[in-house]
Amino acid sequence: MLRAPPDSLFPLRHIHKPNSLLRTRTTRFCCKASLITNSDSFEVGRLIGSYGFMNITSSSGSPLGEDTEYSSGDLGRLRVQDVGEGSVKIRLYDGRVSQGPLKGTPVVFKVYPGQRAGGNEADMMAANELNAHLFLQNSSNGICQNLAILLGGFETKTGEQWLAFRNHGKSSAADYAKVMSEKVSRNRAAGVWNKFEQEETIKRRRYFVTKLLQGIMRGLAYMHDHDRLHQSLGPASVILNTITERDAAYLVPRLRDLAFSVDIGYSNLEGDPGLLSEGLWRRASTAGAFTPMEKRAFGISDDIYEAGLLLAYLAFVPFCEAGIMDGLSLQRLLESTFQLDLGATREYCLADDRLLDAVKFLDLGDGAGWELLQAMLNPDFRKRPIAQAVLNHRFMTVGIL
């Protein structure tokens, strides 16, 4: 491993007010959260990968207009027509803590580009993610096991922002779904058909997906209870410690990618919106949410809508052959083709043998999955359930029984 890049000891910028990005040290926060702020305390390993953010250049049925940027998990409210890549590119590296009490602890570095490569937006996203984790990790209720844990970070001389997260796994919910769908394809192509074995595989998959959904909703409920929206919830924003279905009992899903997280404390809702949340509050106004209480309710329901799309994704993709269904196609099917009518969606899917295992999963508990999806994707934001109500729904346990 290599030493972390030389830097200026972590003057990571953070946002005190929505529209002001201050170049101040995070001393007060760092002491309280015990963050590691010295780059010499880290060693950097290999590049794991990179990803960007989606840029919606046109859409139908949306009040947002054009040139609105979203993260890869943030397509939950649009009937998307044209999607391109945004300007901010994130890199991920393996690493570990090289000194101090946490010496040897494996980490994953999330690297935001400097202003030259990513502009002011990259700095704002890094600062917002830092602030969100600091706030959530400083809760008097303790740290939620269903959220990624920030251990520290630093800024390099080139302006790159390096955030170090405890390495709880490198596979995401999207990776899990892809691996399982490819396994379905291989088994069917090989003509593998043992009824008992097939039934056991489906039971394990249902159990794993249910545990995954429970973890996602616990993390989201924790965020909402602590006045934070996620606003970028998708299969790539959920990290897993295992994707082996036989190990489902030990599965711990964790939410990550809080760059677009929004503070919905009432004092913040009465001020000017930050640049990263302008789109959210524009949609809120269009939906008739104007007071702080209405805006808060809209923001929470907006996260629930995204969680509903994620539930649909996890109910379909791992149970279908590769290429049969993907997130964007499923969203278009739900929003554009059937106008969020889940009854009509079920009838359509029931007629396609390739989707039967997904339909049967959502049929559990006398159609509990479809019922929950219909509630989470309700066109009226006021009628969507809160995260804890989703957790308490019978579908969230029926796959485990």
Side-chain angles (χ1 to χ4, degrees):
M1 287 191 174
L2 302 175
R3 286 285 181 185
D7 68 296
S8 53
L9 294 189
F10 193 69
L12 253 177
R13 287 152 283 224
H14 61 280
I15 303 172
H16 280 300
K17 297 180 180 179
N19 290 324
S20 64
L21 192 64
L22 305 179
R23 293 174 177 271
T24 58
R25 290 182 181 273
T26 56
T27 306
R28 178 171 61 89
F29 293 110
C30 292
C31 292
K32 187 175 180 182
S34 300
L35 294 186
I36 304 170
T37 63
N38 188 339
S39 65
D40 289 337
S41 296
F42 294 107
E43 291 180 351
V44 180
R46 65 182 179 85
L47 175 70
I48 299 172
S50 61
Y51 61 94
F53 293 83
M54 289 185 177
N55 183 34
I56 311 303
T57 55
S58 71
S59 61
S60 61
S62 167
L64 295 179
E66 299 183 349
D67 298 326
T68 303
E69 290 202 355
Y70 289 89
S71 80
S72 56
D74 197 32
L75 297 175
R77 299 156 299 275
L78 300 172
R79 300 185 183 98
V80 179
Q81 293 177 338
D82 297 318
V83 180
E85 281 194 281
S87 60
V88 179
K89 303 295 188 299
I90 305 296
R91 306 194 310 277
L92 299 175
Y93 290 88
D94 255 335
R96 67 183 181 189
V97 180
S98 59
Q99 55 184 268
L102 295 179
K103 182 178 180 179
T105 301
V107 300
V108 172
F109 291 106
K110 183 175 185 179
V111 185
Y112 284 91
Q115 285 195 14
R116 191 184 311 174
N120 289 331
E121 186 181 17
D123 268 3
M124 293 184 68
M125 289 165 62
N128 196 44
E129 183 153 20
L130 170 70
N131 269 345
H133 279 285
L134 285 172
F135 179 83
L136 292 167
Q137 290 174 205
N138 283 330
S139 168
S140 59
N141 295 332
I143 295 176
C144 176
Q145 72 164 352
N146 296 115
L147 297 178
I149 303 300
L150 179 70
L151 295 181
F154 51 86
E155 180 183 23
T156 68
K157 291 179 179 178
T158 60
E160 289 187 336
Q161 313 284 352
W162 287 60
L163 300 182
F165 294 90
R166 186 182 291 272
N167 186 347
H168 289 292
K170 300 184 183 71
S171 296
S172 67
D175 296 324
Y176 162 74
K178 180 175 182 290
V179 169
M180 293 306 116
S181 64
E182 289 173 348
K183 186 176 290 187
V184 173
S185 294
R186 286 196 302 272
N187 288 343
R188 291 186 179 173
V192 176
W193 184 256
N194 178 304
K195 186 175 181 180
F196 175 77
E197 186 177 312
Q198 179 71 5
E199 288 176 353
E200 289 302 304
T201 297
I202 291 297
K203 285 181 182 178
R204 282 195 298 270
R205 191 148 303 157
R206 289 173 177 175
Y207 180 71
F208 190 96
V209 170
T210 302
K211 288 271 291 183
L212 174 49
L213 291 170
Q214 288 176 343
I216 291 169
M217 295 312 301
R218 286 194 188 102
L220 195 61
Y222 184 92
M223 291 187 67
H224 290 174
D225 287 345
H226 292 79
D227 294 335
R228 286 295 186 279
L229 302 180
H230 190 287
Q231 285 297 290
S232 188
L233 192 59
S237 61
V238 182
I239 201 71
L240 311 178
N241 62 327
T242 180
I243 60 171
T244 302
E245 291 179 333
R246 292 182 184 275
D247 295 337
Y250 309 104
L251 173 66
V252 181
R254 290 178 171 86
L255 304 186
R256 64 175 181 180
D257 296 336
L258 303 189
F260 292 94
S261 179
V262 177
D263 182 349
I264 53 170
Y266 285 112
S267 60
N268 190 65
L269 292 173
E270 292 173 348
D272 293 330
L275 293 176
L276 296 177
S277 61
E278 280 183 342
L280 170 67
W281 302 130
R282 196 156 52 238
R283 293 196 307 277
S285 296
T286 300
F290 300 104
T291 68
M293 185 175 294
E294 290 170 340
K295 290 168 68 176
R296 176 186 168 84
F298 179 88
I300 289 172
S301 74
D302 204 51
D303 266 3
I304 294 297
Y305 189 99
E306 284 189 337
L309 289 177
L310 181 53
L311 189 160
Y313 175 93
L314 291 170
F316 275 89
V317 178
F319 293 90
C320 301
E321 294 181 61
I324 297 300
M325 190 66 77
D326 61 67
L328 200 54
S329 298
L330 182 58
Q331 182 179 344
R332 284 172 172 157
L333 185 72
L334 292 167
E335 292 181 338
S336 299
T337 306
F338 293 107
Q339 301 290 301
L340 299 177
D341 182 340
L342 273 297
T345 304
R346 181 187 179 278
E347 292 303 312
Y348 170 85
C349 295
L350 195 59
D352 190 334
D353 289 344
R354 301 171 301 175
L355 305 177
L356 282 182
D357 285 334
V359 172
K360 290 177 181 177
F361 178 46
L362 292 169
D363 279 349
L364 292 176
D366 194 23
W370 299 103
E371 177 186 282
L372 180 57
L373 264 181
Q374 185 70 79
M376 296 174 76
L377 300 180
N378 196 308
D380 185 347
F381 78 89
R382 298 171 184 84
K383 296 180 180 179
R384 294 174 199 153
I386 62 173
Q388 190 60 50
V390 173
L391 266 174
N392 294 337
H393 194 275
R394 68 186 190 282
F395 181 69
M396 299 300 283
T397 57
V398 73
I400 292 179
L401 299 178

